[in-house]
Amino acid sequence: MENWLYLIRIVFILAIFLFIQGIINTIQKDLEPSSKDEAPEIVKRKLKLEAVKCGERIKLIKGDLDNLEEIHFGRDMNNEIVADDKYISGNHFKINKVNEEYFIEDLNSTNGTILNNKQLGKAENLKNNDIISLGEIQFKVHIY
């Protein structure tokens, strides 16, 4: 009879050990990345600047802007977008694309750049439907 009780204790301890081992394995699987082959899908985003107030003052110099990582705006002909407006500096602002996000930065322009009715200080993340104002020109931002 004592041998049976001893055997039951060993089986019970073994069952508890296997149960705890199963819990540990489950936790380890949950903490591991799902698969090294599965990379997160990167959504390619595009930027469009809609001139909502400008007249005939803006010229696109470099053609298609979709593939550029950096877009420069100002009166100087070296910019991708050139504007004929006395309130706009030669190199007024730039838009950078970083990890599928767009950032606008004023290039120390004389009259500054306004984003959503606030003076742009440091580089700011652009969002869909933001309004960029400078001089007598205004753009609506479309990110899709």
Side-chain angles (χ1 to χ4, degrees), residues 25-36:
N25 287 342
T26 303
I27 291 171
Q28 284 178 334
K29 284 182 184 176
D30 286 344
L31 293 177
E32 290 176 359
S34 60
S35 172
K36 292 181 182 175

Side-chain angles (χ1 to χ4, degrees), residues 33-83:
S34 60
S35 172
K36 292 181 182 175
D37 295 334
E38 291 180 28
E41 183 179 335
I42 297 175
V43 178
K44 297 286 186 187
R45 300 176 79 190
K46 292 188 178 186
L47 171 78
K48 176 183 171 191
L49 296 177
E50 175 188 358
V52 292
K53 180 181 165 191
C54 71
E56 301 269 328
R57 302 174 199 203
I58 298 176
K59 293 179 184 163
L60 184 62
I61 300 298
K62 302 280 169 90
D64 183 20
L65 300 177
D66 284 341
N67 298 319
L68 296 177
E69 298 296 315
E70 198 169 86
I71 301 167
H72 294 84
F73 181 93
R75 281 191 325 208
D76 191 294
M77 292 302 286
N78 292 325
N79 293 297
E80 285 78 23
I81 304 173
V82 176

